[in-house]
Amino acid sequence: MTISHLELTDVCIDFPTPNGPFRALNHVNLNVDKGEFISLIGHSGCGKSTVLNIVAGLYQATQGGVVLDGKEVDQPGPERAVVFQNHSLLPWLSAYENVELAVKQVFKKRKTKSEMREWIEHNLQLVHMEHAMDKRPDEISGGMKQRVGIARALAMEPKVLLMDEPFGALDALTRAHLQDSLMEIHADLGNTVIMITHDVDEAVLLSDRIVMMTNGPAATIGDVLNIELDRPRERVSMSESEEYNHYRHEVLKFLYERQRNPADVEAEVVEDESKGGPELELIGKEDAA
Amino acid sequence: MEQSLNCLTEINGATMKLLKITAGWLEPLIKLIKGESPKQQLMIIGRGLIVPLLGIAVFLAIWQGTAPRIVTSLGAFPGPVQVWEQSVNLVTEHNEEREKAEAFYERQRVRNEKKLAKNPDAVVKIRSYTGKPTFLDQIVTSLVTVMTGFLLASAIAIPVGILIGLSPTLYGAINPLIQLFKPVSPLAWLPLVTMVVSAVYVSSDPMFSKSFITSMLTVLLCCLWPTMINTAVGVAGISKDLLNVSKVLSLGWWTHIFKIVLPSAIPMMFTGLRLSLGIAWMVLIAAEMLAQNPGLGKFVWDEFQNGSSNSLGRIMVAVLVIGFIGFVLDRLMLSLQKGASWDKSAVLR
Ligand SMILES: Nc1ncnc2c1ncn2[C@@H]1O[C@H](COP(=O)(O)OP(=O)(O)OP(=O)(O)O)[C@@H](O)[C@H]1O
Ligand SMILES: [Mg+2]
């Protein structure tokens, strides 16, 4: 039996609430190979961020655990860099200084001053931010902030790059642009990546595997889809490819047929009641009638 | 001519920043003199200068009108004119006192020189001048006392604030004490501080006078709390995302404090510091009055006891000066706050 790069074994987590423990994740099992690009997709509130936080070491699993390269994950560390949903740059530091903070911490004794400087600039160049290195977060756009966040994570030379909806707050054009950058960087550096997304196209375009999660509470992995599209993938030609659309269809089917958004289901109940429509047999309809 | 103009612009550049803090209307005035878009500058001056000046003029008129009608045992309440006269008097007295002091030292020097000329081994005594402190001396004393008390209080309050902001347990332990001591008036502390200082601070050649220590400690005790509480609130309110960044980077404790905690707490910290300095200034005047410690408070009290026909006018000068100094101190803190704050979008006033 071969040991995978990153293993999530039987991960369960309970959050303490006033009404007793709330089981957010139930028996999550996942093995990730080195260099793999994994997307986590699922409805809002199902527990994607929780999975990511457990891998990052920010949360502790109640049961089961995470092993990275044969070592158990029990605390956060720079070998599992995180790109947060809302960039989380330090607002009082420039883009350069934000990356510098991470680089100084990770390469404390291993790099000289000039090597560090080069490395920081190199990483900012990777995300095409070399022109705004000395600007502070409130002086650059949302997309640029997110890029600096990615540069900061990449500069730590992490074994695993964890990204929580990195492009969620961006407009479609910027998002496409950053997706292309990310694909390039991944092709060059071969990092292992786990990325949370809400965007089906993004998941299919970028991933080697898409991990689809069931709705919470006690969410778990519902299905895993292998994406066997050749790389490099090109956005425009992809949209015409039958294979691509097949994968897209699979994900959509999972999300909207097998795991309907709990919020939508509720909304439909209300709608049907008000119309008095006969399509669905619903509990509570008799009361309404 | 050209040189003096150059000099003028240089001064403009350097002082512009300081002027901006104290008087927003000076900048457009200088621009107007330089001839930069005069219409716009006039508008700004109109709004920034004319309106406040109008307010002051109305106030002076009402003051002048009502003051003579208030008759006290020391004569009529002083109007603006008398107060102005007294302020001129106070400055003159100060200059006279300075001249006397200089004359005294001059005499002493001459005497000692003569003595040494006669006998080179003679031991010469150098006495310092012991004149009555003038109004301006008292201002300096008060300023030194308030700044010492304030700086010492900040040096204690900021680290403690950071610690209790970081640890909810520590906060729980210290918070009741803060809440208990915060509302205590300086006048209640004063007798205790006086007694403790005279018991503990015994030295044959004291570096600071006891009265200075007493006033300073009273100020310190009263202006610890706003800085401490606001720093703690600032530290406790650091965004969770930034804390997660720190954890993922595995920052050490000191790096965490200096790179994450302190910068994010700075806006709140300065709010506290500004409150503290305001309190410090108010407390100091009261403490000096009550304890007869040198400073502006003592000046007011002495004039009150003096009871001459000029006393009320002189007290009024002190009142205005106290107010003005308080205002300038606050503006200075505000500019410090603006300089230190990374959140340039926040509106500070
Ligand atoms: N610290 C916590 N304490 C209690 N409950 C929590 C905590 N963190 C998450 N939860 C619960 O766990 C569930 C999963 O939350 P999570 O943030 O992982 O969802 P998500 O899939 O990332 O959602 P979204 O797509 O909206 O970001 C939610 O029901 C949430 O209420
Ligand atoms: Mg989330």
Side-chain angles (χ1 to χ4, degrees):
Chain A
M1 193 189 102
T2 54
I3 301 169
S4 325
H5 180 50
L6 176 72
E7 286 179 59
L8 281 75
T9 317
D10 205 23
V11 170
C12 307
I13 191 165
D14 293 332
F15 288 115
T17 66
N19 320 323
F22 168 77
R23 172 138 304 200
L25 292 178
N26 207 16
H27 305 297
V28 173
N29 285 291
L30 183 66
N31 289 349
V32 182
D33 289 330
K34 209 177 177 91
E36 241 190 321
F37 197 119
I38 304 276
S39 288
L40 277 180
I41 201 164
H43 287 292
S44 179
C46 69
K48 304 180 293 293
S49 297
T50 310
V51 172
L52 206 78
N53 281 329
I54 291 174
V55 178
L58 293 165
Y59 288 167
Q60 284 300 313
T62 318
Q63 192 189 317
V66 179
V67 175
L68 174 62
D69 282 341
K71 254 192 70 197
E72 179 162 10
V73 167
D74 52 4
Q75 60 176 12
E79 81 278 7
R80 282 160 282 121
V82 185
V83 176
F84 295 91
Q85 180 162 9
N86 55 349
H87 69 78
S88 295
L89 299 176
L90 308 185
W92 48 87
L93 297 182
S94 69
Y96 180 89
E97 290 165 331
N98 263 290
V99 181
E100 188 184 33
L101 181 69
V103 169
K104 271 194 175 158
Q105 184 63 20
V106 176
F107 299 99
K108 233 178 264 169
K109 297 204 174 82
R110 287 189 281 150
K111 279 193 200 293
T112 65
K113 257 198 176 141
S114 60
E115 278 171 340
M116 279 196 198
R117 178 158 193 98
E118 235 167 71
W119 178 242
I120 296 164
E121 281 169 1
H122 168 72
N123 278 284
L124 283 164
Q125 270 159 18
L126 275 184
V127 294
H128 308 296
M129 279 296 296
E130 63 274 21
H131 59 286
M133 283 199 303
D134 298 317
K135 293 213 167 126
R136 293 198 322 189
D138 57 356
E139 297 166 333
I140 56 181
S141 70
M144 290 160 97
K145 278 185 252 203
Q146 210 51 273
R147 281 193 253 173
V148 178
I150 293 172
R152 175 172 67 184
L154 289 173
M156 291 149 82
E157 275 193 333
K159 287 181 181 165
V160 184
L161 185 60
L162 304 169
M163 303 203 276
D164 193 343
E165 290 184 47
F167 314 133
L170 305 177
D171 64 280
L173 278 177
T174 317
R175 180 192 285 234
H177 189 74
L178 287 187
Q179 286 165 355
D180 291 343
S181 302
L182 183 59
M183 272 197 285
E184 261 169 47
I185 292 167
H186 181 242
D188 282 355
L189 306 178
N191 300 69
T192 311
V193 182
I194 301 181
M195 180 182 75
I196 294 177
T197 180
H198 273 133
D199 181 337
V200 178
D201 285 301
E202 180 171 283
V204 177
L205 187 65
L206 296 177
S207 316
D208 296 316
R209 275 193 292 161
I210 301 180
V211 173
M212 296 174 280
M213 293 189 61
T214 63
N215 289 338
T220 188
I221 295 175
D223 210 346
V224 176
L225 187 65
N226 284 312
I227 310 289
E228 277 150 4
L229 296 167
D230 295 332
R231 287 180 191 272
R233 298 172 184 168
E234 212 274 306
R235 167 184 315 278
V236 181
S237 56
M238 275 296 157
S239 62
E240 284 171 2
S241 127
E242 217 164 276
E243 240 181 321
Y244 175 88
N245 282 313
H246 160 74
Y247 290 129
R248 209 171 162 272
H249 183 71
E250 286 295 310
V251 179
L252 288 172
K253 227 165 60 185
F254 177 89
L255 286 179
Y256 299 104
E257 283 176 12
R258 286 170 57 191
Q259 296 290 328
R260 301 179 68 196
N261 190 337
D264 289 349
V265 175
E266 253 167 56
E268 262 174 45
V269 172
V270 178
E271 213 171 85
D272 285 339
E273 274 176 8
S274 60
K275 275 195 233 151
E279 294 91 356
L280 280 168
E281 283 296 316
L282 291 161
I283 310 160
K285 211 178 151 205
E286 277 154 5
D287 304 28
Chain B
M1 179 64 203
E2 201 172 304
Q3 216 173 3
S4 72
L5 256 182
N6 270 345
C7 184
L8 189 74
T9 40
E10 234 167 69
I11 293 170
N12 286 351
T15 49
M16 193 69 99
K17 256 195 176 155
L18 199 80
L19 292 178
K20 254 192 205 165
I21 304 155
T22 44
W25 50 267
L26 265 173
E27 194 192 343
L29 189 67
I30 291 165
K31 276 191 186 162
L32 181 71
I33 294 167
K34 285 184 186 164
E36 283 176 37
S37 52
K39 238 187 196 163
Q40 208 182 341
Q41 307 304 340
L42 275 176
M43 284 256 294
I44 300 175
I45 294 172
R47 231 178 299 131
L49 182 62
I50 311 285
V51 174
L53 277 185
L54 260 175
I56 292 174
V58 170
F59 169 73
L60 287 178
I62 295 175
W63 181 10
Q64 183 69 60
T66 44
R69 283 164 223 227
I70 307 172
V71 181
T72 70
S73 59
L74 295 178
F77 193 84
V81 179
Q82 289 95 310
V83 170
W84 174 249
E85 282 165 11
Q86 286 314 316
S87 62
V88 173
N89 276 351
L90 284 169
V91 175
T92 323
E93 278 167 32
H94 172 79
N95 290 337
E96 282 168 6
E97 196 68 22
R98 272 297 123 84
E99 275 162 25
K100 269 196 218 162
E102 258 166 46
F104 170 84
Y105 284 121
E106 181 62 23
R107 280 201 305 280
Q108 176 169 287
R109 194 179 60 81
V110 172
R111 196 163 53 234
N112 287 342
E113 260 173 19
K114 269 189 200 156
K115 226 181 197 176
L116 285 175
K118 257 188 220 160
N119 172 13
D121 301 329
V123 188
V124 295
K125 275 188 208 149
I126 297 187
R127 288 199 194 84
S128 51
Y129 179 72
T130 51
K132 183 170 164 279
T134 65
F135 182 60
L136 298 189
D137 296 334
Q138 303 284 39
I139 294 179
V140 173
T141 312
S142 284
L143 279 176
V144 170
T145 318
V146 85
M147 286 323 286
T148 319
F150 170 71
L151 289 178
L152 274 180
S154 308
I156 298 168
I158 292 173
V160 175
I162 290 175
L163 286 179
I164 60 180
L166 284 174
S167 149
T169 322
L170 213 55
Y171 182 78
I174 296 184
N175 191 41
L177 296 176
I178 298 179
Q179 300 303 335
L180 182 69
F181 288 128
K182 193 172 60 132
V184 174
S185 152
L187 309 184
W189 280 119
L190 196 62
L192 298 175
V193 174
T194 314
M195 295 316 290
V196 171
V197 167
S198 32
V200 176
Y201 189 68
V202 275
S203 128
S204 52
D205 178 28
M207 193 155 60
F208 306 105
S209 67
K210 266 186 194 163
S211 59
F212 169 77
I213 303 277
T214 315
S215 307
M216 193 270 288
L217 283 181
T218 311
V219 166
L220 186 152
L221 280 173
C222 292
C223 71
L224 275 178
W225 317 117
T227 306
M228 201 181 280
I229 293 170
N230 279 284
T231 307
V233 170
V235 169
I238 300 175
S239 108
K240 197 149 184 271
D241 289 322
L242 296 189
L243 291 180
N244 280 342
V245 169
S246 174
K247 280 189 199 152
V248 168
L249 289 176
S250 310
L251 294 183
W253 196 81
W254 287 108
T255 327
H256 174 66
I257 296 292
F258 281 107
K259 294 283 178 177
I260 313 272
V261 173
L262 259 182
S264 41
I266 267 189
M268 281 302 278
M269 208 165 87
F270 268 93
T271 308
L273 285 172
R274 248 176 100 193
L275 284 173
S276 278
L277 187 57
I279 289 180
W281 185 238
M282 286 216 258
V283 161
L284 177 72
I285 304 297
E288 286 170 348
M289 257 176 110
L290 190 76
Q292 298 287 294
N293 289 339
L296 276 170
K298 183 171 161 58
F299 173 85
V300 170
W301 188 251
D302 285 351
E303 287 301 331
F304 178 58
Q305 294 296 320
N306 202 359
S308 83
S309 58
N310 286 337
S311 287
L312 289 184
R314 292 159 76 96
I315 292 176
M316 199 62 209
V317 176
V319 166
L320 293 178
V321 167
I322 290 168
F324 182 71
I325 292 177
F327 167 74
V328 170
L329 288 179
D330 189 61
R331 289 286 114 166
L332 284 176
M333 281 309 291
L334 179 63
S335 63
L336 265 183
Q337 184 176 19
K338 280 183 178 164
S341 174
W342 40 267
D343 189 2
K344 299 293 178 205
S345 60
V347 183
L348 300 168
R349 26 173 107 229

